[in-house]
């Protein structure tokens, strides 16, 4: 099974900050990576697919990138609505696996 | 509007069975693979199972293989998860999710609101 190691587990930041969340795959996943945002009591929201493609309707301050088996989600200028938990997920092969999540908190 | 609505979550005793349903609307159901993802409240997401659009191909996490069965009725636009031999560690919110299309947009692009399954005596 492909393991997804996400870091940090918690991130404290302020409105306007640029933040980066990292996800590392235990083997090649051919860019088949998605990012999700989840707020308390809500279902996850699809943000990014194929490592760097922005889902329709998602603000352009969100971006994804990759370098080998390391993937990053960047929020260029944090907005109040962005404080949430973020998950990566590989869909290269079954069993699909998620990262452990990164909780983005207000500093 | 594309929508997924889960139902069937309940309190069940260890060793018991339960069937979850997910009613889909707003899209051509049989064109899309579907899946179930669960989440222990306050914890992370765990993929449980997926099924192809036709229903002929199914996939399971090792943690549920042999105990859970995913299926779909395309005539009723409904996805199911039959759960048996339930354990305390199956306690979670179960989300139904639609696979995105076209390739490579294949993450889960639409999610239901979730249904709670509690396994306890």
């Amino acid at each position: 099974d492909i393991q997804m190691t996400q870091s940090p587990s918690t991130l404290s930041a302020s409105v306007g900050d640029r933040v980066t969340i990292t996800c590392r795959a235990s083997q090649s996943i051919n860019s088949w990576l998605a990012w999700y945002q989840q707020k308390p009591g809500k279902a996850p929201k699809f943000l990014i697919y194929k490592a760097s493609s922005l889902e329709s309707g998602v603000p352009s301050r969100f971006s994804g990138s990759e370098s080998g088996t390391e993937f990053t989600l960047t929020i260029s200028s944090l907005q109040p609505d962005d404080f949430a938990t973020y998950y990566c997920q590989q869909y290269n092969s079954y069993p699909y696996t998620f990262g452990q999540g990164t909780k983005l908190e207000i500093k | 509007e594309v929508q997924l609505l889960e139902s069937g979550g309940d309190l069940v005793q260890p060793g018991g069975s339960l069937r979850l349903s997910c009613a889909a609307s707003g899209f051509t159901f049989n064109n899309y693979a579907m899946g179930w993802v669960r989440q222990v409240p306050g914890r992370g997401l765990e993929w449980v199972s997926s099924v192809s659009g036709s229903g002929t191909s199914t996939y399971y996490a090792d943690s549920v293989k042999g105990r859970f069965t995913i299926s779909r009725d395309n005539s009723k636009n409904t996805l199911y998860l039959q759960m048996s031999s339930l354990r305390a560690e199956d306690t979670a919110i179960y989300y139904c999710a639609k696979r995105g299309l076209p390739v490579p947009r294949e993450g889960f692009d639409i999610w239901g609101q979730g249904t709670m399954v509690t396994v306890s005596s």
Side-chain angles (χ1 to χ4, degrees), chain A:
Chain A
D1 297 359
I2 298 173
Q3 308 303 316
M4 303 301 295
T5 303
Q6 191 172 336
S7 62
S9 55
T10 306
L11 181 56
S12 296
S14 302
V15 172
D17 284 354
R18 177 185 180 90
V19 299
T20 297
I21 298 168
T22 298
C23 200
R24 181 173 286 109
S26 60
Q27 62 190 74
S28 173
I29 58 171
N30 300 302
S31 305
W32 299 116
L33 183 104
W35 288 98
Y36 301 88
Q37 176 194 68
Q38 187 180 33
K39 295 182 179 179
K42 300 294 187 181
K45 176 186 175 182
F46 188 45
L47 296 178
I48 286 173
Y49 60 93
K50 197 64 160 60
S52 60
S53 296
L54 203 64
E55 171 69 345
S56 175
V58 174
S60 59
R61 62 181 179 274
F62 291 89
S63 64
S65 63
E66 63 178 299
S67 177
T69 59
E70 185 168 292
F71 300 84
T72 58
L73 172 70
T74 299
I75 308 173
S76 60
S77 178
L78 274 174
Q79 299 302 301
D81 190 51
D82 300 337
F83 292 95
T85 300
Y86 293 85
Y87 295 93
C88 62
Q89 178 223 342
Q90 67 83 17
Y91 54 97
N92 178 74
S93 61
Y94 290 107
Y96 290 168
T97 40
F98 288 88
Q100 304 95 316
T102 295
K103 185 175 182 180
L104 182 51
E105 298 180 328
I106 300 174
K107 186 184 287 185

Side-chain angles (χ1 to χ4, degrees), chain B residues 47-58:
Chain B
W47 172 79
V48 173
S49 182
S50 288
V51 61
S52 61
S54 64
T56 55
S57 298
T58 57

Side-chain angles (χ1 to χ4, degrees), chain A residues 94 96, chain B residues 29-35 49-59 70-74 78-79 99:
Chain A
Y94 290 107
Y96 290 168
Chain B
F29 185 63
N30 62 5
N31 283 354
Y32 295 88
M34 299 290 294
S49 182
S50 288
V51 61
S52 61
S54 64
T56 55
S57 298
T58 57
Y59 310 88
I70 191 170
S71 63
R72 61 193 297 161
D73 185 336
N74 287 342
T78 302
L79 175 72
R99 184 89 172 266

